[in-house]
Amino acid sequence: MRGQHGDPPDSAQTLLVTLGRLVDQALERIRIQRARAELAMALQRHMLPPELPDLPGLRVAARYSPSRDGLDVGGDWYDAFVMSDGSLGLSIGDVQGHDVEAVAFMGQVRTSLRAIAEATSDPREVLGRANNLLISMGCGLFATCCFIRFDPVTRDLHVSRAGHVPMIWATAGGGYGVALDSGGPPLGIVAREQYPVTHRRLTEAGVLVLLTDGVVEGPTYPMEAGLAEVAKLVRAGFDADPDVLASAVIKVADLTGHRDDAAVLVARYDGPANGPPS
């Protein structure tokens, strides 16, 4: 029954008011979630390097894919920078967690590695000092990491790993594979850990691919299968531009059904320009 002026009865009017409030609340929740996501993505972008070095005969490219759970952020990182002695530093890693805290901690780890590498270019020292620093912070988080120093003059390559996924390599001569170098535990777990270093000398053009486990491992997809898939992809795409190769490698994560975030760092060395080093 309507009122004197055709207005809806009180019960209907109350229902309309309640629905209006629910809609307002839903819109506000969407606005807050969108703002949180934008803030988290901005934080993620600022925690990763804004640009990568471009050196004569050496090209670097990277890709990052966010976690599919929770906020589109995570603790994976990559970095490439020229050190004071002219050598190239490459690092990639994975911090425990997939939230804003993990992103903030990731930024601390990445910048710490860079700062330590300026003081000592020895990967053993870089990871050792970073490990002790994280333990002294007492935050309870840990990070896996692979750190590489490449001297473009001598063509010496030094690699050290802290519980991280092995790198993939390929050469102009047709060789390729997974570099199963020895390593130590993740950073932030064992105090005063000594991380082993593997030394190589690049005698021909080659590609190095560093990645995180989100690329090669999924809920029902073993890491060994993912690494083998990336190795074949790198061999087949050896002549591709590093940007193209990085994009192809990050897509392997779609095969694994990963939920984790994922990062890829590709370094292509065009080979010695003036014969073997003196």
Side-chain angles (χ1 to χ4, degrees), residues 235-274:
R235 176 61 265 172
F238 178 83
D239 294 324
D241 182 85
D243 272 308
V244 174
L245 185 56
S247 295
V249 172
I250 198 74
K251 289 180 181 178
V252 172
D254 295 334
L255 300 176
T256 69
H258 81 110
R259 307 299 301 179
D260 201 357
D261 49 334
V264 172
L265 183 63
V266 175
R268 178 181 176 84
Y269 172 59
D270 291 334
N274 302 307

Side-chain angles (χ1 to χ4, degrees), residues 96 134 137-142:
Q96 169 193 10
L134 297 189
M137 292 168 60
C139 61
L141 296 177
F142 63 86

Side-chain angles (χ1 to χ4, degrees), residues 18-66:
T18 301
L19 289 174
R21 288 174 179 172
L22 291 174
V23 170
D24 288 341
Q25 292 172 5
L27 291 174
E28 180 65 12
R29 284 195 297 269
I30 292 173
R31 186 191 67 79
I32 292 174
Q33 290 172 357
R34 183 177 300 166
R36 289 181 60 196
E38 290 175 354
L39 177 61
M41 288 301 294
L43 178 61
Q44 182 88 54
R45 286 194 301 271
H46 282 85
M47 290 299 178
L48 294 174
E51 59 184 21
L52 299 173
D54 186 12
L55 302 176
L58 188 64
R59 290 170 289 164
V60 183
R63 291 292 183 273
Y64 173 81
S65 177

Side-chain angles (χ1 to χ4, degrees), residues 134-154:
L134 297 189
I135 290 176
S136 69
M137 292 168 60
C139 61
L141 296 177
F142 63 86
T144 67
C145 177
C146 178
F147 182 80
I148 294 178
R149 175 184 180 270
F150 176 63
D151 188 324
V153 177
T154 65

